[in-house]
Amino acid sequence: MGSTITEKILAKAAGKETVKAGQLVDAEIDVIMCHDVTTPPAISMLEDKKIDTVFDTEKIVVTPDHFQPAKDIQSAALHKRLDKWARKHNIRYYYKIGQAGVCHALLPEQGHIRPGEVIVGGDSHTCTYGAFGAFSTGIGSTDLAAAIATGKLWFKVPESMKFVLNGSLGKGVYSKDVILEAIRLIGTDGALYKAMEFTGPALADMSMEARMTITNMAIEAGGKNGIMGFDDITKEYLDGRLKGKTDYEVFESDADAEYCRTIEIDCSKLEPMVAMPHLPSNGVPISKCAGKDMDQAYIGSCTNGRIEDLRIAADILKGKKVAIRTLIVPATPTIWKMAKDEGLFDIFYDAGCVISAPTCGACLGGFMGVLAEGEKCVSTTNRNFVGRMGHPKSEVYLTSPATAAASAIEGKLADPRSYL
Amino acid sequence: MAKAHKYDRDHINTDEIIPARYLNTDDEQELAKHCMEDLDAEFVKKCQAGDIIVAGEDFGCGSSREHAVWAIRGANVSTVIAKSFARIFYRNAIDNGFYIIETPDVDKISDGDEIEVDFENGLIKNVTSGKDINFEPLPDFAREIINNGGLLEHIKKATTD
């Protein structure tokens, strides 16, 4: 019996020939992602326990993002703690405001994600990096503290579920629609504790940006990690971009690797999807929900705040006016500048959108666009739980950037295909 | 003896356990004031020291915020009993030395029942209904972490032993 890509990466990290699903392993960590919400508590724990050490100053990447720029005095204090710690330990890759961005857009863009490595981060959407053929998973503050101090963590090797993405995406249908369909099929705990491995011909047509949207939402099905194989598109994205260590090892699943379940999705048959409140698994095709009134549109986040997403939205908004409050949140300063240089900001401005600095902001109900009681938001983010973007009685409808842009123009859920 | 606060629902998520608008602090007592706020605004008022939260499948899904465990512990909840837990919440609980119980038999507990938990022997005694529930205790390595007072104490112990 062969091994999956996830098993192979964990075996290498644990210094073993092979490992199998269910086995507990101690794995060496290659990259640790630290942000402003979960890292300050980890720092305090390390200080309290008098083990305030850093295992490797070059393997930790720090960026404030959730509440940056500081939204209030308390979040400013979190940033201050993070800043003091990063300076004290001479963390090599510390992105301060001006360079800081939404972590899961920033780390790949800045060349910190390499195939075949083990990456952890104090954020559930750390599974994003699996798009590069890495094992990547989210952890809490205590695990983060342990990883920072020791460079190791224990893992139970997950079983793998295989998602075969067949066919090709039609006009107006994007990778976001694919992952919303996958989560609809298996539910928000359908991949609990499992690796979600994506493969198939539809993937070959997707950019790294589009692929990251898929692995980003593995956690919304309960997955431990999302993962994809390496190909020319991965290589092209990485060439000339990697910081520090530029070599990497590529792993792929064996033909006889074991999967607990295989799910086939015919991407040619997909429509634009909308995940209705209050679960990411409540996906319905746009044809069944178009026309529902919205109060706000939000285009951004670690799921869909990359340059390709902004280009897709701008393409639809060009020459149009939005009917509802519409927020554009480029995920990193580089994306912000690209959007400006490409003239996308003019399109957004002319359409009546507001453009924000890079931040996680309102995706998690932090600031920069939170919702009042009863308000509805069409959003390119990843979660639509009760109270996620504001008042517990507000509602979030998850879509692709194209669907969010079309809905912004009409002020109600709308099919982007009529704008393309 | 502890009182059960039962939420007969699956997928109770971290945004309901501790809304992100309160994540600008990591002070446990401050977080505890808002524990379960978006699910049950009365929870903190009615929860007495040692009480127990009872829920369905996939408890704690969503964010990796350990603040969810701290808010629950800070509200003096002694354990959470659920049909299943989301992976990161489960791990965070063990890391914090906070014992949680996974059992398919949560239907044998009703809201307001008085219950006693024997963690060592894997037994929940429902004093109100008289129905007992046997549960699989946590795996040995997890109990070792909990008994050492959480992951960091566990690591410290391992490095000084």
Side-chain angles (χ1 to χ4, degrees):
Chain A
M1 186 60 74
S3 297
T4 64
I5 179 171
T6 297
E7 288 167 340
K8 289 182 183 183
I9 296 170
L10 285 174
K12 180 196 146 206
K16 293 181 188 300
E17 200 63 34
T18 56
V19 298
K20 280 291 150 208
Q23 194 175 336
L24 283 173
V25 296
D26 256 323
E28 304 264 354
I29 309 297
D30 297 295
V31 180
I32 302 174
M33 189 288 296
C34 291
H35 68 48
D36 52 342
V37 169
T38 55
T39 305
I43 297 166
S44 299
M45 288 175 199
L46 291 169
E47 288 171 352
D48 286 351
K49 305 283 179 201
K50 307 211 176 344
I51 42 175
D52 185 20
T53 53
V54 164
F55 89 105
D56 189 333
T57 56
E58 308 223 341
K59 291 186 174 175
I60 295 172
V61 184
V62 178
T63 180
D65 61 358
H66 277 54
F67 300 140
Q68 81 107 26
K71 80 179 180 95
D72 54 19
I73 296 166
Q74 284 178 302
S75 51
L78 290 176
H79 293 161
K80 192 176 166 188
R81 284 160 64 190
L82 186 66
D83 179 76
K84 191 177 154 204
W85 173 80
R87 287 171 190 274
K88 176 180 161 191
H89 290 285
N90 292 312
I91 301 295
R92 168 121 183 241
Y93 301 111
Y94 170 30
Y95 292 86
K96 301 179 199 69
I97 193 160
Q99 285 86 45
V102 175
C103 55
H104 307 311
L106 187 82
L107 266 69
E109 172 199 284
Q110 293 298 319
H112 296 292
I113 305 303
R114 284 168 290 266
E117 297 202 336
V118 173
I119 304 152
V120 295
D123 189 280
S124 62
H125 294 106
T126 303
C127 48
T128 308
Y129 313 134
F132 293 86
F135 173 83
S136 189
T137 192
I139 54 175
S141 298
T142 304
D143 273 326
L144 188 63
I148 288 169
T150 67
K152 280 185 175 188
L153 278 180
W154 64 268
F155 293 104
K156 192 167 165 185
V157 179
E159 292 184 296
S160 291
M161 281 176 91
K162 190 183 203 171
F163 293 79
V164 185
L165 309 181
N166 291 317
S168 58
L169 292 170
K171 193 178 73 166
V173 186
Y174 302 90
S175 64
K176 180 66 164 283
D177 303 303
V178 175
I179 188 63
L180 289 177
E181 172 67 3
I183 299 167
R184 184 190 73 80
L185 286 169
I186 66 170
T188 54
D189 55 358
L192 193 56
Y193 294 94
K194 296 182 174 67
M196 294 171 75
E197 184 175 324
F198 298 92
T199 180
L203 210 54
D205 294 336
M206 292 182 199
S207 68
M208 286 317 298
E209 282 87 350
R211 294 178 188 185
M212 283 190 264
T213 300
I214 291 180
T215 46
N216 172 268
M217 290 189 72
I219 181 68
E220 308 313 332
K224 181 171 201 153
N225 63 312
I227 198 159
M228 295 170 177
F230 177 93
D231 63 8
D232 290 345
I233 294 170
T234 325
K235 184 175 183 306
E236 196 181 323
Y237 185 95
L238 294 172
D239 282 351
R241 193 187 290 265
L242 292 179
K243 288 211 172 81
K245 185 166 165 273
T246 53
D247 60 319
Y248 50 82
E249 197 175 345
V250 171
F251 294 93
E252 57 180 295
S253 294
D254 294 326
D256 59 347
E258 197 173 351
Y259 295 92
C260 58
R261 193 174 166 192
T262 298
I263 288 167
E264 308 227 0
I265 295 175
D266 183 353
C267 294
S268 311
K269 289 192 178 143
L270 281 183
E271 269 192 52
M273 298 285 291
V274 182
M276 312 293 276
H278 291 286
L279 284 177
S281 56
N282 287 342
V284 296
I286 187 70
S287 57
K288 300 235 164 62
C289 60
K292 189 165 187 63
D293 285 335
M294 293 289 123
D295 300 289
Q296 177 171 298
Y298 186 95
I299 298 170
S301 83
C302 60
T303 314
N304 282 123
R306 299 184 180 84
I307 189 66
E308 182 176 292
D309 301 312
L310 302 187
R311 287 178 190 141
I312 290 166
D315 198 35
I316 288 172
L317 290 166
K318 191 169 189 174
K320 302 282 197 309
K321 290 280 182 202
V322 295
I324 49 176
R325 320 191 278 273
T326 300
L327 290 95
I328 310 288
V329 191
T332 69
T334 304
I335 296 167
W336 193 97
K337 179 158 167 46
M338 284 171 88
K340 180 178 80 68
D341 292 349
E342 291 177 19
L344 307 188
F345 281 6
D346 291 333
I347 294 171
F348 296 139
Y349 171 83
D350 290 340
C353 309
V354 62
I355 301 157
S356 154
T359 182
C360 300
C363 167
L364 72 160
F367 68 139
M368 300 292 284
V370 297
L371 303 172
E373 180 172 359
E375 287 193 324
K376 298 177 176 63
C377 179
V378 55
S379 180
T380 68
T381 55
N382 42 52
R383 286 197 180 122
N384 54 355
F385 295 152
V386 168
R388 174 71 180 176
M389 291 185 76
H391 194 279
K393 286 187 178 143
S394 60
E395 295 179 353
V396 180
Y397 296 73
L398 304 176
T399 69
S400 72
T403 303
S407 303
I409 294 166
E410 297 191 18
K412 50 185 89 160
L413 291 178
D415 192 331
R417 291 174 295 189
S418 35
Y419 291 87
L420 294 167
Chain B
M1 201 130 43
K3 193 171 176 178
H5 299 276
K6 182 159 183 189
Y7 298 97
D8 207 359
R9 235 199 66 194
D10 299 333
H11 315 300
I12 291 174
N13 60 72
T14 50
D15 280 299
E16 290 169 304
I17 298 167
I18 182 72
R21 59 185 175 275
Y22 302 120
L23 298 186
N24 54 4
T25 179
D26 54 349
D27 182 87
E28 189 159 318
Q29 291 314 310
E30 197 55 41
L31 292 166
K33 291 179 192 164
H34 306 288
C35 181
M36 309 294 273
E37 186 172 293
D38 284 359
L39 178 68
D40 176 2
E42 300 300 307
F43 175 76
V44 174
K45 267 188 242 166
K46 62 191 186 194
C47 179
Q48 302 288 315
D51 280 1
I52 291 168
I53 293 173
V54 182
E57 304 275 4
D58 197 25
F59 185 87
C61 65
S63 160
S64 68
R65 64 187 72 148
E66 208 159 301
H67 308 62
V69 176
W70 302 329
I72 288 173
R73 187 174 62 185
N76 290 316
V77 172
S78 61
T79 187
V80 180
I81 303 173
K83 285 187 186 170
S84 65
F85 289 90
R87 188 187 69 81
I88 306 178
F89 183 91
Y90 183 90
R91 203 173 161 115
N92 286 344
I94 293 169
D95 282 352
N96 275 276
F98 185 75
Y99 210 113
I100 53 177
I101 298 169
E102 208 165 51
T103 169
D105 295 327
V106 296
D107 299 338
K108 290 184 183 166
I109 306 172
S110 303
D111 189 42
D113 282 357
E114 295 287 341
I115 51 185
E116 284 174 3
V117 179
D118 179 345
F119 292 105
E120 283 304 308
N121 296 307
L123 179 69
I124 300 166
K125 282 176 86 77
N126 188 331
V127 178
T128 307
S129 72
K131 291 178 200 160
D132 288 353
I133 300 170
N134 289 298
F135 65 90
E136 190 71 34
L138 287 172
D140 288 346
F141 78 92
R143 286 165 69 188
E144 201 182 321
I145 292 172
I146 289 176
N147 292 338
N148 281 337
L151 182 67
L152 294 182
E153 286 295 341
H154 179 71
I155 288 172
K156 262 185 93 169
K157 194 162 182 284
T159 48
T160 51
D161 272 358

